[in-house]
Amino acid sequence: MTTTPNAPTAEAHQVDCHVVTHVHWDREWYRPFEAFRARLVELAERVCTQLDEGRMSAFHLDGQTIVLSDVAALRPDLADRLRAHAEAGRLTLGPWHVLADNQLVSGENLVRNLLTARRWAPGKGALASVGYSPDAFGHPADLPRLLNGFGMDTALVWRGAPDGVARFRWRSPDGSEVFAVNQGYHGAEVLWGAGDGDDAADSARLTAFLDGERKRLAQGPWLLMNGGDHLAPSDPGRRIASLGAVADAEGARLRQSTLEEFFAAARDESVVGALPLVDGELRHPAGHLTFILPGTLSARTYLKQANTAAQNLLERWAEPLVALHAPHDATLAADLRHAWELLLRNAPHDSLCGCSVDEVHRENAVRYERVTQLGELVVERALLRAGYDVRLHGDRPHDEARLVVVNPHADTAAGVIEADVLTAPGRHPVALLDADGNGIPFEAEPLGEETAFAADLDLLPDSRPSFRHRLRFRTPELTGFGCDVVRVVLADAPLAEAELALADTAALDAPDGGSLSPAADASLTWLRPDGTRQAGYGLLTDGGDRGDTYNYDPPADDRVVRPRLTASRVRTSPVRQVMEIDAVLDLPVGLTATREARAARTREVPVRIEVSLWHGDPLLRWRIELDNTVTDHRLRLHVPGRGGDGTWTGDGHWSLIERPIAADLGPLPQEKGHEAVCGSAPVQSLGALGRDEDRTALIAPGLPEMRGLGAGETPTGADEEIVVTLLRSVGWLSRFDLRSRTTGAGPALPTPEAQCQGRQTFEVAMATGAPVARDHDLVRTAARFRTPPRAWQLRPGTDPVGHRSALTARGALLGALKTAEDGNGLILRLSNPGAEKRVAHVSAAPGTLLTPARLDERTNGEAPVQAGEEAVAWPLDPHATLTVRVVPPTAG
C-alpha cells in the first residue's frame, strides 16, 4: 500500500472524511440489562432532541432494532419518536435485531436475527443496508454468504480483519463476496469519545486519526465513526466547524454523513477488483487494541451448552414440526417467534461470550430456561396437531405403553434414543415391538415410583401413582421427517439382571473391531485389528489459568494435572457396551497469592467417565461428570489423530473450514495494547484431523473452543491431536496484568461465578475411518449426534399410527425447515458443507411448487419446479446452500 507524507502540501488533494455519528450499545455487560436500558432511554431522548433541533443530520443507532423494543417498554412515546425519525431517513438501525457474536451462534440463528430485524423495521429504508458488525470478536467465513442472502454486498468489520488493510474483498467458501471496510474502531473512539471540549486535545486526536487513515488508504475517502461504547452523541456540527481548519491542514474535508453515503463513495473511489482478496474467516492476528479475545469461546461453557441445546430445539424440532403439521396455526407461530426473540437476546457478544458481570449471566440462564419451556410446549402442540397426544394424563398403562419415535432429519436415519416411560406401579417393560411386531433390542433402567401430574386446557388436573423407567434403544431406519409408533410390552417382573451385566473383559469393543482399555490416567488405549496401539483417547488435562473472561493466560509456573484411575468396569446390554471409569483429579485449589503459579495445596475432584459404544453405531461416546470445587484452571479433552498433514478441519455455519495446526499460545506480546495469537478457533460442533480413511473426528456440540495440536505439544504423544476445552474457570471480567493480553479488555470487575463451580457435565463423541472419511458423511455423522431421533410416550387411550412425510431430501445436509415468514408455504434449506460437488434430491407431493430463494426468503430469480413422482435434483457446488420455498398444491 502507498503512503503519503504526514504533512500534505497546500496543493494536496482534499480527502473526504465521512463523519457518521453513532453509538455502540451493549444491552448488558459491566452492568445488568435494566441498568443499561435506563441509560438507553436517556440516550434515545438526547438523540431525538438533537435530530429534532437539526444539530445532527443523521444518527446510526448501532445496527440493532431491539433498541426499539427496549425503549418502548419504558417510554412508548419515545419509541414512536425514534420510529418517526427512522421513517424520515434521519435515523438508521439494523440490519440486525441484535448484534450477535456471529461465531458462536448457528447460521440459522443469524438468519432469524436478520428476519426478526425486518419485522421490527419501522419503515422502508430505515434498516441499514450495510452488513454492520462493529465489535464481534472475529467474523465467520460464511458471513458474506449470509449478507448476500439478504441483499447486502457490503460489510463494516473490525476485529480479526487483516491489520492495516482499510478495504478488501471478503469471500465466503461458496464464492459469495462483499466489499468490506475495516473501520479502525478505537481510533475513532479515542478521537471523539471524551467530549471534554479541550480544543488542543481534540486537534491532536484528529491529527493522529487522519495520519493513521492516510497510512492505511491515502486516497480515501475515510470513515470517522463519531461515537463509542454507551456514549451520548456529541454535537457533530459544532465539532466539525471547530476542527475544520485542523482537518483542512491535514488534507481532509470533514462532512456529516451516513454509512450508506460513505460506502457508496468508497466504492466509487475504489477499483474493487484491485483490492486485496481475503478468503474465509476473519481471525487474523490483532493489531494495537484490536483484540479478538479468543478466551470468550470457552468462558462459562454452560452458556454455550445451553445455547446449542436451545437452538437445536427450535431449529430441528419446533420449527419443522410446526411447518409439517401446523403451518397455519397463528398461536404456534407467535410462540415460535417469541421463543426466538428470547434466544436472540442471549446472542450478543457480551452475553453468549460469557464476558459480563455475573448478574447478566444469571438472567441469560433464565432466558435459556424460558426458551426451553416454550420450545417444548410448541413441540408438544405440533405433535398433538399431527395426532400424537403426548400429554400423560389418565390411568397409567398396565399391559402396554406406546411411544412415537420421530426422525428430525430430512433423509432416512436411525439413531440412539433414551426415553422415559411411566407405567402403573409394579409393571415393567419386557419387550419393545415395532409397527410390524418385530422385537427391538432395548435396555430398561428402573428409576422408581413417583406421583406424576398432568393438566391442560382440556384436561383436569390429574395426579397418578406411576413408576418411571428409562428405555434405551436404537431405532430402525426412519424415513425423512417420518414417525413410527413402537409398543412397550409390560409385565409384573423386570428383565433378568443378566440383560445388563458386567462383561467378562475390562476392555471395550472399538468401532473398527479393535478394543479399548483404560490407562492409569483414565484415557483409553486403542488396540487396532492390525496390532498397532495408540494411547490417549479421551485424555483429560487440567492446567492453570490466571486469565479473565476474555483471554486464557497460563501461569508462568504452570502445573498440568491428569486424572488417576481408581476403578473401571464394562457393562453390556442388548443395545450397547458401557465402560464406567472412576477417576480423581488432584487439582490445585487455585493460584498462589502472586498469581504466578498454581497453589501447592490440592483437592481431590472425583470424575465419573462413561464411554459407550452402541451396537451398529459408528460413534464412541463420552459422558464426563465432575463437581468443580477449585478455581483458576482449564480442563481439556484430547483425541489423537493419525495421518495428519499439519491442518485440522472445523465446521462453520454452512462450510467446513480448514485451519493450520498452530501453537497453543503464540509468543507473548511485549508492547502495550497487544494480544498473543491463540491456536483455538470456533466450531459449531466438530473438529477433525487427517484425510479419507485416516480421518479422526471429535464431535462436541456446545463446546466451541477447539484446536489442533502438533508434535511437541500433544500430551498423548501423537503427532497431532484434536483438543476441546470443556471448562475454563476464571474470576475476573477483565484484568490489566495478563501476559497474553497487555491491557484490559473491559473493566476490572470480579466475576466469581465465572469460576463455574458446581456440577459439570460434558458429552462428546469420536468417529474414525469410513463413517467420516468424506466431508458430507463427517458433517452428517455430527448432525446425527447433535440431533438424534426422539421418542415420546403416547397418552393412554390414543391409538395413532406412524406416517411418512411427503417432503424429504437426501444428498445434502438439512439447515432449516420452517413456515415461510409470509405464511406462503414452507422454507427448506439444505447445504453442501464439503469441498466436493453433490446433488440434493428433494421429494414432495406431486404438484408441489418448489421455488429457489435467497436466505431472506425472496425469490432468487430461478424458475420454480413442480414436483412429480420422482425427486427433483439440484446440483450443489462445494460449500453451497440451497433454499427452496415449498408450496403444496392446496396452498397455492
Side-chain angles (χ1 to χ4, degrees), residues 751-822:
T751 54
E753 292 172 24
Q755 296 285 3
C756 300
Q757 302 288 277
R759 178 66 56 181
Q760 309 291 324
T761 303
F762 311 100
E763 294 188 7
V764 303
M766 184 191 77
T768 64
V772 293
R774 300 179 65 183
D775 288 350
H776 173 79
D777 295 328
L778 168 67
V779 183
R780 188 173 185 265
T781 299
R784 298 300 192 265
F785 178 68
R786 184 177 62 247
T787 317
R790 289 180 66 181
W792 290 264
Q793 184 176 353
L794 291 165
R795 182 182 168 197
T798 61
D799 192 27
V801 296
H803 82 276
R804 298 168 63 94
S805 172
L807 179 65
T808 62
R810 55 186 173 85
L813 276 300
L814 177 67
L817 178 63
K818 61 183 289 289
T819 306
E821 292 293 294
D822 60 8

Side-chain angles (χ1 to χ4, degrees), residues 73-397:
L74 299 184
R75 288 281 307 276
D77 61 313
L78 193 52
D80 289 341
R81 290 174 66 189
L82 290 173
R83 292 188 188 94
H85 282 300
E87 291 169 357
R90 293 182 290 270
L91 181 80
T92 54
L93 310 101
W96 307 96
H97 186 54
V98 300
L99 286 176
D101 180 274
N102 48 38
Q103 300 172 116
L104 290 174
V105 300
S106 68
E108 293 302 322
N109 188 305
L110 292 173
V111 170
R112 302 305 176 281
N113 193 338
L114 290 168
L115 289 173
T116 303
R118 276 140 185 76
R119 291 198 296 270
W120 275 94
K124 184 177 177 59
L127 280 184
S129 60
V130 172
Y132 183 73
S133 186
D135 198 26
F137 302 159
H139 304 275
D142 282 316
L143 194 59
R145 177 210 311 257
L146 176 72
L147 297 175
N148 282 185
F150 278 78
M152 290 175 275
D153 60 0
T154 56
L156 184 143
V157 295
W158 176 37
R159 302 180 193 268
D163 190 33
V165 179
R167 296 174 199 162
F168 55 96
R169 295 161 54 207
W170 181 19
R171 187 167 63 189
S172 285
D174 73 325
S176 301
E177 192 173 300
V178 294
F179 172 66
V181 170
N182 179 359
Q183 68 168 333
Y185 182 79
H186 266 287
E189 185 175 342
V190 169
L191 174 63
W192 293 99
D196 53 14
D198 185 337
D199 290 342
D202 288 347
S203 298
R205 286 195 294 266
L206 177 59
T207 298
F209 174 79
L210 295 175
D211 181 59
E213 289 300 282
R214 188 179 299 109
K215 290 176 180 177
R216 293 203 312 160
L217 194 69
Q219 74 271 22
W222 300 325
L223 173 64
L224 176 52
M225 297 297 289
N226 173 31
D229 289 7
H230 329 121
L231 294 172
S234 60
D235 187 327
R238 183 181 63 80
R239 283 290 181 90
I240 288 173
S242 65
L243 293 170
V246 176
D248 188 65
E250 294 293 324
R253 181 188 304 109
L254 301 181
R255 49 168 295 194
Q256 292 195 59
S257 188
T258 66
L259 285 175
E260 285 76 7
E261 290 172 357
F262 165 74
F263 269 88
R267 178 167 276 173
D268 285 347
E269 292 290 328
S270 297
V271 180
V272 174
L275 290 175
L277 176 63
V278 178
D279 275 309
E281 59 190 348
L282 300 186
R283 293 184 62 81
H284 294 262
H288 179 68
L289 294 177
T290 311
F291 314 125
I292 59 173
L293 308 172
T296 57
L297 300 177
S298 54
R300 305 181 194 254
T301 48
Y302 66 90
L303 291 175
K304 281 72 168 176
Q305 292 172 300
N307 183 71
T308 295
Q311 284 178 164
N312 201 53
L313 173 60
L314 298 188
E315 294 172 14
R316 303 309 301 272
W317 289 107
E319 283 186 335
L321 287 172
V322 169
L324 291 170
H325 303 300
H328 305 297
D329 190 311
T331 297
L332 291 185
D335 289 341
L336 263 176
R337 287 187 175 183
H338 182 53
W340 270 113
E341 175 76 23
L342 290 171
L343 185 55
L344 291 174
R345 292 181 183 192
N346 276 354
H349 51 251
D350 296 308
S351 303
L352 181 52
C353 285
C355 51
S356 293
V357 293
D358 290 339
E359 296 93 329
V360 166
H361 300 302
R362 288 183 217 135
E363 293 182 6
N364 294 156
V366 171
R367 284 190 203 127
Y368 285 127
E369 291 174 1
R370 293 171 65 193
V371 174
T372 302
Q373 295 159 10
L374 191 51
E376 291 292 356
L377 178 65
V378 169
V379 168
E380 177 189 287
R381 289 297 197 247
L383 288 170
L384 187 60
R385 305 293 192 274
Y388 301 105
D389 191 343
V390 297
R391 303 171 298 172
L392 298 184
H393 189 276
D395 292 334
R396 297 293 175 254

